[in-house]
Amino acid sequence: MKFASTRGGGAPTSLDVALAAGLAPDGGLYVPGHIPELALQHAGATLADTATAVLAPWFTESELRPSLADLCTNAFDFPAPLRPLPSPNNHLLELFHGPTAAFKDYAARFLAGCLSRLRDPAATSPTTILVATSGDTGAAVGAAFHRRDGFRVAILYPDGRVSPRQAHGLGCFGDNVSAYRVDGSFDDCQHMVKQALTDTDLRTRVPLGSANSISLGRLLPQTAYYAHAALEFRTRHGVPLNFIIPTGNLGNALACWLAKRMGLPIGGIVLASNANDVLPRYFNGDDYAPHATIATLANAMDVGAPSNFERLRWWHRDDAELRASMRAYSVDDATIRGTIRQATDRHGVVPCPHTATGLHVLEQLRAAGDIRPWAVVATAHPAKFETIVEPLVGHAIEPPPALAAALARPATSAPLDADGTALRSALLQE
Ligand SMILES: *Cc1c(COP(=O)(O)O)cnc(C)c1O
């Protein structure tokens, strides 16, 4: 299978080249030549087994094909349980049992495994993975590459716009992972990373790589937990499972859509956005109109220009067909607060602010008479956002063990001006 750019530039290339490059040379996103159909009837014995089966068609010509099962065993070594909620047909797909307590751990670990194996063994200088983060990506990528031979990581996050625990989680790695707190927004961080990645002079002096959610190595592995949950669900109940997905850059939801197109038993896909409502507006019929990011309680979804939209659009003939593929709702901060406050009574769980947007959308669907089985995707553990969640629920939230261990380590970060020159000199000094 070959992979081409959404912008049509350059010749189609192999998966391995696309994985290593991240972004296509013309600035587009890599998309596969076709979407393979899977005839899977049942989930594997483990999530890693399902992942191996679901990812295999993409890797047929890859140098990584013989290692795929190992890559999946290492990346998918913590569960993604589908927890039934008290009301019939309501479920939570818990994706926060990894080292940094957010769903991005799965894909970051898979991508790190791929890049390690693809690295030229004769290369002398380490590759620096640049990552702009609104909180969770940086931690997941830092954890995935921490102490990995041949790699360094530079994490850029917007100072003051991530939760205190998120900030700690970004700065607690040390060794080959550096955290920079940027005097600017997430969009500034993303722009600085893009600028560095296209700076050919810098790249000859400091080998750079990327791990943002536009990378195929992030997108493809995220199909695995949707496949696993949907297959197990159909085996047990005989019907497809529908998903509500808290959405920012559209990477996680796009993976769900991809899994559906591959033939997995997935019904409806609904996006839950925060006040950054570019997707809800589009799916409700407005033009696609990216805007400057608005800061919200669900900060990992504070995205005004969802980068994976370019892929989603590429895969559809026109706006009408695309709008028919999923729906999207916007949930404001007051509603997020109210949902967290009432979630214990209504759903028997304490959600993080991102997951709360999904729970609220579920409540809306139920109020409108929808009786289908829905799974809300729980994208992070609430203990990561304790300064928001604890006052609303009135008690402390125990961090899961991996998060507790990270919080017990000291954390440091370096200040960085929000401009490309500052990043350039920091990278040249490392
Ligand atoms: C990254 C993230 C999201 C948004 O996921 P996208 O793939 O960017 O749409 C939602 N919730 C949490 C907790 C996240 O870390």
Side-chain angles (χ1 to χ4, degrees):
M1 170 140 4
K2 292 282 188 240
F3 294 80
S5 166
T6 46
R7 299 192 187 163
T13 185
S14 70
L15 177 64
D16 297 357
V17 168
L19 285 175
L23 199 66
D26 64 353
L29 280 63
Y30 281 113
V31 279
H34 70 276
I35 298 179
E37 288 260 349
L38 283 173
L40 285 183
Q41 291 309 314
H42 299 286
T46 62
L47 176 59
D49 292 339
T50 305
T52 309
V54 169
L55 289 169
W58 306 111
F59 283 79
T60 44
E61 292 153 38
S62 166
E63 186 185 307
L64 299 170
R65 179 67 189 91
S67 325
L68 184 59
D70 272 355
L71 284 165
C72 290
T73 304
N74 293 329
F76 293 89
D77 65 343
F78 48 93
L82 184 68
R83 176 207 286 262
L85 297 176
S87 301
N89 283 332
N90 288 4
H91 300 82
L92 201 64
L93 179 62
E94 293 183 352
L95 300 183
F96 52 63
H97 295 285
T100 72
F103 79 89
K104 295 186 175 83
D105 280 324
Y106 295 103
R109 289 157 68 83
F110 185 82
L111 176 65
C114 291
L115 295 185
S116 274
R117 285 173 203 254
L118 289 172
R119 192 177 144 76
D120 177 359
T124 46
S125 33
T127 301
T128 299
I129 302 291
L130 278 181
V131 52
T133 185
S134 53
D136 289 336
T137 305
V141 170
F145 284 93
H146 187 212
R147 296 188 179 150
R148 217 175 248 277
D149 279 346
F151 291 93
R152 307 181 52 88
V153 178
I155 301 169
L156 276 66
Y157 69 92
D159 194 11
R161 308 238 189 132
V162 307
S163 83
R165 274 194 187 160
Q166 277 180 313
H168 192 105
L170 295 169
C172 74
F173 296 107
D175 306 309
N176 61 333
V177 181
S178 315
Y180 295 98
R181 45 178 210 279
V182 173
D183 184 16
S185 68
F186 169 65
D187 290 336
D188 292 329
C189 298
Q190 220 168 10
H191 183 72
M192 290 161 73
V193 165
K194 274 196 191 144
Q195 214 178 329
L197 289 172
T198 51
D199 181 338
T200 36
D201 172 64
L202 176 64
R203 292 192 79 153
T204 56
R205 298 204 256 164
V206 185
L208 297 177
S210 121
N212 279 330
S213 76
I214 46 171
S215 169
L216 273 178
R218 295 267 311 273
L219 177 66
L220 300 179
Q222 291 176 164
T223 55
Y225 38 76
Y226 292 109
H228 195 72
L231 286 166
E232 281 197 335
F233 191 84
R234 192 190 52 192
T235 298
R236 203 164 306 143
H237 303 282
V239 290
L241 185 57
N242 306 277
F243 289 96
I244 299 169
I245 306 166
T247 292
N249 248 330
L250 200 52
N252 201 9
L254 186 64
C256 184
W257 177 86
L258 196 55
K260 179 176 174 170
R261 278 284 296 266
M262 293 174 83
L264 289 149
I266 292 167
I269 300 174
V270 171
L271 314 180
S273 299
N274 57 24
N276 292 277
D277 60 357
V278 56
L279 293 170
R281 278 174 184 276
Y282 172 79
F283 281 99
N284 286 320
D286 288 357
D287 285 343
Y288 179 72
H291 58 66
T293 306
I294 302 163
T296 76
L297 295 173
N299 66 7
M301 293 157 43
D302 289 350
V303 179
S307 37
N308 275 296
F309 187 76
E310 185 167 332
R311 271 197 182 106
L312 192 60
R313 182 170 253 175
W314 188 88
W315 262 312
H316 291 87
R317 261 196 315 270
D318 55 30
D319 287 330
E321 189 191 75
L322 171 49
R323 288 193 179 110
S325 69
M326 50 183 84
R327 282 180 291 157
Y329 297 86
S330 165
V331 181
D332 64 21
D333 273 358
T335 310
I336 291 175
R337 278 197 198 88
T339 306
I340 295 173
R341 214 180 270 125
Q342 290 161 355
T344 308
D345 287 345
R346 291 191 184 165
H347 305 288
V349 291
V350 175
C352 83
H354 313 80
T355 307
T357 65
L359 283 176
H360 175 71
V361 169
L362 175 64
E363 291 169 9
Q364 279 183 293
L365 296 179
R366 293 298 181 222
D370 188 320
I371 56 166
R372 289 176 291 171
W374 286 96
V376 171
V377 176
T379 49
H381 193 284
K384 235 177 155 170
F385 303 91
E386 87 290 3
T387 53
I388 297 166
V389 175
E390 288 180 352
L392 293 169
V393 298
H395 60 82
I397 313 279
E398 197 63 39
L403 189 57
L407 293 169
R409 295 198 297 269
T412 53
S413 62
L416 196 67
D417 287 341
D419 80 11
T421 333
L423 177 59
R424 200 187 143 88
S425 22
L427 291 171
L428 286 167
Q429 268 164 33
E430 276 210 1

